[in-house]
Coordinates of all heavy atoms in Angstrom, one line a residue:
P265 N 97.5 57.5 87.0 CA 97.7 58.6 87.9 C 96.8 58.4 89.2 O 95.8 57.7 89.2 CB 97.2 59.9 87.3 CG 96.2 59.3 86.1 CD 96.8 58.0 85.8
A266 N 97.3 58.9 90.4 CA 96.4 58.9 91.6 C 95.2 59.6 91.2 O 95.1 60.5 90.4 CB 97.2 59.5 92.7
P267 N 94.1 59.4 92.1 CA 92.8 60.1 91.8 C 92.9 61.5 91.9 O 92.3 62.3 91.1 CB 92.0 59.5 93.1 CG 92.5 58.3 93.3 CD 93.9 58.3 93.0
S268 N 93.9 62.1 92.7 CA 93.9 63.5 92.9 C 94.7 64.2 91.6 O 94.6 65.4 91.4 CB 94.7 63.9 94.1 OG 96.1 63.4 94.1
E269 N 95.4 63.4 90.9 CA 96.1 63.8 89.7 C 95.3 63.7 88.3 O 95.7 64.2 87.3 CB 97.3 63.0 89.6 CG 98.4 63.2 90.7 CD 99.5 62.2 90.7 OE1 99.5 61.3 89.9 OE2 100.5 62.5 91.3
R270 N 94.2 63.1 88.5 CA 93.4 62.8 87.3 C 92.8 64.0 86.8 O 92.3 64.8 87.7 CB 92.4 61.7 87.4 CG 93.1 60.3 87.6 CD 91.9 59.2 87.9 NE 92.6 58.1 88.3 CZ 92.1 57.1 88.9 NH1 90.8 57.2 89.4 NH2 92.6 55.9 89.2
A271 N 92.7 64.2 85.5 CA 91.8 65.3 85.0 C 90.4 65.2 85.2 O 89.8 64.1 85.3 CB 92.2 65.6 83.5
P272 N 89.6 66.3 85.6 CA 88.2 66.0 85.9 C 87.5 65.5 84.6 O 87.9 65.8 83.5 CB 87.8 67.6 86.1 CG 88.8 68.5 85.7 CD 90.1 67.7 85.7
S273 N 86.4 64.8 84.9 CA 85.8 64.2 83.8 C 85.0 65.2 82.9 O 84.8 65.0 81.6 CB 84.7 63.1 84.3 OG 83.9 63.8 85.1
E274 N 84.7 66.4 83.5 CA 84.1 67.4 82.8 C 84.7 68.8 83.2 O 85.2 68.9 84.3 CB 82.5 67.5 83.1 CG 81.7 66.3 82.7 CD 80.3 66.4 83.0 OE1 79.9 67.5 83.5 OE2 79.6 65.5 82.8
P275 N 84.9 69.6 82.2 CA 85.4 70.9 82.5 C 84.6 71.7 83.6 O 83.3 71.7 83.6 CB 85.5 71.7 81.2 CG 84.4 71.0 80.4 CD 84.4 69.6 80.7
T276 N 85.3 72.4 84.5 CA 84.6 73.2 85.5 C 83.9 74.4 84.9 O 84.5 75.1 84.0 CB 85.6 73.8 86.6 OG1 86.2 72.7 87.2 CG2 84.9 74.6 87.7
Q277 N 82.6 74.5 85.0 CA 81.8 75.5 84.5 C 82.0 76.9 85.3 O 81.9 76.9 86.6 CB 80.4 75.2 84.5 CG 80.1 74.0 83.6 CD 80.4 74.2 82.1 OE1 80.1 75.3 81.5 NE2 81.0 73.2 81.4
P278 N 82.1 78.0 84.5 CA 82.3 79.3 85.4 C 81.0 79.6 86.1 O 80.0 79.4 85.6 CB 82.6 80.4 84.4 CG 82.1 79.8 83.0 CD 82.2 78.2 83.1
E279 N 81.1 80.3 87.2 CA 79.9 80.7 87.9 C 79.1 81.7 87.1 O 79.8 82.7 86.5 CB 80.3 81.4 89.3 CG 80.8 80.5 90.2 CD 79.8 79.4 90.8 OE1 78.6 79.9 90.9 OE2 80.0 78.3 91.0
P280 N 77.8 81.6 86.9 CA 77.0 82.6 86.2 C 77.2 84.0 86.9 O 77.1 84.1 88.0 CB 75.6 82.0 86.3 CG 75.6 81.1 87.5 CD 77.1 80.6 87.7
Q281 N 77.2 84.9 86.0 CA 77.1 86.4 86.5 C 75.8 86.6 87.1 O 74.7 86.3 86.5 CB 77.4 87.3 85.4 CG 78.9 87.1 84.9 CD 79.9 87.6 85.9 OE1 79.8 88.6 86.7 NE2 81.0 86.8 86.3
P282 N 75.6 87.4 88.3 CA 74.4 87.8 88.7 C 73.7 88.8 87.8 O 74.3 89.5 87.1 CB 74.6 88.4 90.1 CG 76.1 88.9 90.0 CD 76.8 87.7 89.0
H283 N 72.4 88.8 87.9 CA 71.6 89.8 87.1 C 72.1 91.2 87.7 O 72.2 91.4 88.9 CB 70.1 89.6 87.4 CG 69.3 90.3 86.4 ND1 69.2 91.6 86.6 CD2 68.5 89.9 85.4 CE1 68.4 92.2 85.5 NE2 67.9 91.1 84.8
P284 N 72.3 92.1 86.8 CA 72.9 93.4 87.2 C 71.9 94.1 88.1 O 72.3 94.9 89.0 CB 73.0 94.2 85.9 CG 72.2 93.5 84.9 CD 72.3 92.0 85.3
V285 N 70.6 93.8 88.1 CA 69.5 94.4 89.0 C 69.2 93.3 90.0 O 68.3 92.5 89.9 CB 68.3 94.9 88.3 CG1 67.4 95.5 89.2 CG2 68.8 95.9 87.2
S286 N 70.1 93.2 91.0 CA 69.9 92.2 92.1 C 70.7 92.5 93.2 O 71.7 93.2 93.2 CB 70.3 90.7 91.4 OG 71.6 90.7 91.2
V287 N 70.4 91.9 94.4 CA 71.2 92.0 95.5 C 72.6 91.2 95.4 O 73.5 91.7 96.0 CB 70.4 91.7 96.8 CG1 71.3 91.5 98.1 CG2 69.1 92.5 97.0
A288 N 72.5 90.2 94.7 CA 73.8 89.4 94.4 C 74.7 90.4 93.6 O 76.0 90.3 94.0 CB 73.5 88.2 93.6
A289 N 74.3 91.2 92.8 CA 75.1 92.2 92.0 C 75.7 93.2 93.1 O 76.9 93.6 93.0 CB 74.4 92.9 90.9
L290 N 74.7 93.7 94.0 CA 75.3 94.5 95.0 C 76.4 93.9 95.9 O 77.3 94.6 96.1 CB 74.2 94.9 96.0 CG 73.2 96.0 95.6 CD1 72.2 96.2 96.8 CD2 73.7 97.2 95.3
I291 N 76.3 92.6 96.1 CA 77.2 92.0 97.0 C 78.7 91.9 96.2 O 79.7 92.0 96.8 CB 76.8 90.6 97.3 CG1 75.5 90.6 98.4 CG2 77.9 89.7 97.9 CD1 74.9 89.4 98.4
E292 N 78.6 91.8 94.9 CA 79.8 91.7 94.2 C 80.3 93.0 93.7 O 81.4 93.1 93.1 CB 79.6 90.8 93.0 CG 79.3 89.4 93.3 CD 79.5 88.4 92.0 OE1 79.8 88.9 91.0 OE2 79.2 87.3 92.4
T293 N 79.6 94.2 94.1 CA 80.2 95.5 93.8 C 81.5 95.8 94.5 O 81.6 95.5 95.6 CB 79.2 96.5 94.2 OG1 77.9 96.3 93.4 CG2 79.6 97.9 93.8
E294 N 82.4 96.4 93.8 CA 83.7 96.9 94.3 C 83.3 98.4 94.7 O 83.4 99.1 93.8 CB 84.8 96.8 93.4 CG 86.1 97.1 94.0 CD 87.2 97.0 93.0 OE1 87.0 96.4 91.8 OE2 88.5 97.4 93.3
F295 N 83.2 98.6 96.0 CA 82.8 99.9 96.5 C 83.9 100.9 96.3 O 85.1 100.5 96.8 CB 82.2 99.9 97.7 CG 80.9 99.2 97.7 CD1 80.7 97.8 98.1 CD2 79.6 99.8 97.4 CE1 79.5 97.2 98.0 CE2 78.4 99.2 97.4 CZ 78.4 97.8 97.8
T296 N 83.8 102.1 95.8 CA 84.9 103.1 95.7 C 84.7 104.3 96.3 O 85.2 105.4 95.9 CB 85.1 103.2 94.1 OG1 83.9 103.7 93.6 CG2 85.4 102.0 93.3
G297 N 83.8 104.3 97.4 CA 83.4 105.6 98.0 C 84.7 106.2 98.7 O 85.7 105.5 99.2
G298 N 84.5 107.5 98.8 CA 85.7 108.3 99.5 C 85.5 109.7 99.3 O 84.5 110.3 98.9
R299 N 86.6 110.5 99.5 CA 86.7 111.9 99.3 C 85.6 112.7 100.0 O 84.9 113.5 99.3 CB 86.7 112.3 97.7 CG 88.0 111.7 97.1 CD 87.9 111.9 95.5 NE 87.7 113.3 95.0 CZ 87.5 113.7 93.8 NH1 87.5 112.6 92.9 NH2 87.2 114.9 93.5
L300 N 85.5 112.4 101.3 CA 84.5 113.2 102.1 C 85.0 114.7 102.2 O 85.9 114.9 102.7 CB 84.3 112.5 103.4 CG 83.2 113.2 104.3 CD1 81.7 113.2 103.8 CD2 83.2 112.5 105.8

């Protein structure tokens, strides 16, 4: 197969979840505000 068609040599690792008490977790929050 062409290089682009070859399977990766190692499986792609999922991104680690941010610590729930962190600004990274704030960034990933799905904000649901409304009903003013």
Side-chain angles (χ1 to χ4, degrees):
S268 62
E269 299 173 343
R270 293 173 185 162
S273 57
E274 296 182 0
T276 302
Q277 296 297 320
E279 290 292 326
Q281 292 295 313
H283 193 287
V285 182
S286 67
V287 173
L290 278 184
I291 291 168
E292 293 195 2
T293 298
E294 183 178 351
F295 294 95
T296 61
R299 292 172 57 186
L300 178 61

